[in-house]
Amino acid sequence: MLDQAVKRIKSGDVVAFPTETVYGLGADARNRDAVDLVFRLKGRPADNPLIVHISEIKQLFDFASEVPEAALKLAEKFWPGPLTLVLPKKSEVLDIVTGGLPTVALRMPDHPLALDLIREADPLVAPSANKSGRPSPTKPEHVEADFGKKIMVLDGGACKLGLESTVIRVDQNEITVLRPGHIDPQEIESVAGLPVKTEKPDPSKAPESPGMKYSHYAPDAQVELSTDLPAKFSSDTFYLIVPKMSMDTETPENVILYSNNYSKLAEELYDRFRQADLQEYKNVSIIGLREADETGIVQALLNRIRKAQS
Ligand code: TXA
Ligand code: MG
């Protein structure tokens, strides 16, 4: 399978592959036509740039024109893993990859199949392997649901984290979180030795990470965020309940209890969105996520759920 995938990538085709976060739709980052195919297949706007996936830290220098000390420290600490670094790009990095921006996003995924593929083929651009606007795929069957059988999928089973990587821009004096993820901002701050700010969406300003302006991750069902349990469960709603609670009767099949297990919710969220559509629920109601909780994972969950609502 790997050999065939490598051949396809080298011939300019795309291959879907697992990472620890979500499945990626991989193509040779140095082949303009292959990258263009990724945009066309996904139906992705040209101004939404792609992440270049590498297999060794030193490849940072092939794509970034400047690598601040802090970026290297972060790569050494968190790679392979769910962290994406946005750095000034080298002039030879294709404009189609970066959506014309002067920066490039780089990450080393923590998955043996992904690393083998990158090592044998080349650095890969890899957006999440879903049609634009749909929930990201965390299982091979999600990729097939969006694209049919025409795209080769390397099967790595279910992804262990389930939400996309934390995206940060590393400047000389500060770091900006462009997309929250599993890694806590405080941890980034202490490893990098630089202050970390989180980009709060300001509708009057152009977003710094273009992807953040698009609706995303959305099932057909209406997604609701709620602080309290409903007086009565409604049969047309799929409930994902975060806090610990016990039920007097048997838990109905449209109610999933997470007992404060945020990692489990993150791992399952997109699969639950897709399940809601397959089972034709009108609504998905996620109950009890606390805004005040500033951990990476809760902020990442809230961020994806809000995008699914917009
Ligand atoms: O976990 C992940 O990051 C997954 C797996 C497959 O690695 N990939 C992923 O890619 O989520 P994608 O294309 O779905 O999301 C990439 C995000 C977008 O929000 C995009 O706007 C942002 O990264 N991005 C890419 N290049 C950027 C740049 N130069 N400056 C700012 N944001 C950038
Ligand atoms: Mg995506």
Side-chain angles (χ1 to χ4, degrees), residues 19 21 45 65-66 84 87 97 109-110 122 124-125 135 145-146 148 151 194 235-236 243 262 291 309:
T19 79
T21 59
S65 60
E66 275 165 59
T84 295
L87 299 169
V97 170
D110 186 16
D122 210 19
L124 302 174
V125 293
D146 280 14
I151 286 179
L194 289 178
S235 64
D236 61 10
Y262 299 106
E291 186 86 43
Q309 295 178 305

Side-chain angles (χ1 to χ4, degrees), residues 26-52:
D28 183 345
R30 295 183 170 106
N31 179 335
R32 189 186 315 270
D33 293 336
V35 179
D36 184 55
L37 180 59
V38 169
F39 278 93
R40 280 188 284 127
L41 284 168
K42 278 188 62 94
R44 182 172 174 118
D47 67 351
N48 190 3
L50 305 178
I51 298 170
V52 176

Side-chain angles (χ1 to χ4, degrees), residues 21 24 44 48-49 51 53 103 105 107 126-128 164-165 179 209 211:
T21 59
R44 182 172 174 118
N48 190 3
I51 298 170
H53 292 60
T103 51
R107 120 168 172 92
S128 49
E164 304 83 350
S165 61
R179 180 175 72 183
S209 182

Side-chain angles (χ1 to χ4, degrees), residues 17-25 42 44 47-53 81-87 89 97-99 101-107 109 126-130 136-137 163-169 178-179 207-214 216-217 304:
F17 64 94
T19 79
E20 78 282 30
T21 59
V22 301
Y23 275 74
L25 188 62
K42 278 188 62 94
R44 182 172 174 118
D47 67 351
N48 190 3
L50 305 178
I51 298 170
V52 176
H53 292 60
L83 181 70
T84 295
L85 302 174
V86 172
L87 299 169
K89 81 171 188 91
V97 170
T98 65
L101 293 174
T103 51
V104 61
L106 292 149
R107 120 168 172 92
S128 49
N130 52 282
S136 296
L163 294 181
E164 304 83 350
S165 61
T166 308
V167 179
I168 60 175
R169 195 183 58 234
L178 304 177
R179 180 175 72 183
E208 291 183 56
S209 182
M212 302 311 271
K213 77 182 175 205
Y214 296 107
H216 254 109
Y217 321 115
R304 305 309 189 273

Side-chain angles (χ1 to χ4, degrees), residues 157-215:
C159 299
K160 76 176 185 252
L161 298 182
L163 294 181
E164 304 83 350
S165 61
T166 308
V167 179
I168 60 175
R169 195 183 58 234
V170 184
D171 296 314
Q172 289 301 337
N173 302 315
E174 67 175 8
I175 289 173
T176 309
V177 176
L178 304 177
R179 180 175 72 183
H182 277 79
I183 300 175
D184 288 331
Q186 294 86 325
E187 218 191 333
I188 294 173
E189 198 158 287
S190 78
V191 172
L194 289 178
V196 172
K197 62 173 186 165
T198 294
E199 190 189 36
K200 287 271 182 291
D202 174 352
S204 68
K205 268 181 31 193
E208 291 183 56
S209 182
M212 302 311 271
K213 77 182 175 205
Y214 296 107
S215 160

Side-chain angles (χ1 to χ4, degrees), residues 71-281:
L72 261 189
K73 284 190 196 155
L74 290 165
E76 272 155 18
K77 168 78 181 176
F78 294 109
W79 284 359
L83 181 70
T84 295
L85 302 174
V86 172
L87 299 169
K89 81 171 188 91
K90 280 195 152 169
S91 57
E92 58 264 38
V93 180
L94 297 173
D95 279 335
I96 187 173
V97 170
T98 65
L101 293 174
T103 51
V104 61
L106 292 149
R107 120 168 172 92
M108 189 196 297
D110 186 16
H111 196 292
L113 273 176
L115 291 171
D116 283 347
L117 184 64
I118 298 163
R119 230 175 265 124
E120 306 241 340
D122 210 19
L124 302 174
V125 293
S128 49
N130 52 282
K131 286 262 168 83
S132 252
R134 300 264 302 142
S136 296
T138 55
K139 295 178 172 172
E141 54 266 37
H142 299 161
V143 182
E144 195 182 320
D146 280 14
F147 294 103
K149 291 200 187 290
K150 64 172 185 271
I151 286 179
M152 179 177 178
V153 185
L154 283 176
D155 190 341
C159 299
K160 76 176 185 252
L161 298 182
L163 294 181
E164 304 83 350
S165 61
T166 308
V167 179
I168 60 175
R169 195 183 58 234
V170 184
D171 296 314
Q172 289 301 337
N173 302 315
E174 67 175 8
I175 289 173
T176 309
V177 176
L178 304 177
R179 180 175 72 183
H182 277 79
I183 300 175
D184 288 331
Q186 294 86 325
E187 218 191 333
I188 294 173
E189 198 158 287
S190 78
V191 172
L194 289 178
V196 172
K197 62 173 186 165
T198 294
E199 190 189 36
K200 287 271 182 291
D202 174 352
S204 68
K205 268 181 31 193
E208 291 183 56
S209 182
M212 302 311 271
K213 77 182 175 205
Y214 296 107
S215 160
H216 254 109
Y217 321 115
D220 296 329
Q222 193 67 37
V223 178
E224 301 163 354
L225 265 172
S226 164
T227 44
D228 304 309
L229 284 171
K232 194 171 160 288
F233 289 122
S234 151
S235 64
D236 61 10
T237 301
F238 194 33
Y239 295 94
L240 308 181
I241 299 178
V242 182
K244 244 195 185 74
M245 64 165 275
S246 53
M247 309 266 286
D248 305 336
T249 54
E250 206 184 315
T251 313
E253 65 173 17
N254 62 328
V255 176
I256 312 291
L257 302 177
Y258 284 96
S259 303
N260 284 323
N261 189 342
Y262 299 106
S263 316
K264 190 81 188 154
L265 177 60
E267 184 192 326
E268 293 187 352
L269 184 71
Y270 295 139
D271 192 38
R272 294 295 184 190
F273 280 176
R274 286 175 183 264
Q275 183 188 349
D277 287 348
L278 290 174
Q279 299 183 351
E280 299 181 343
Y281 286 110

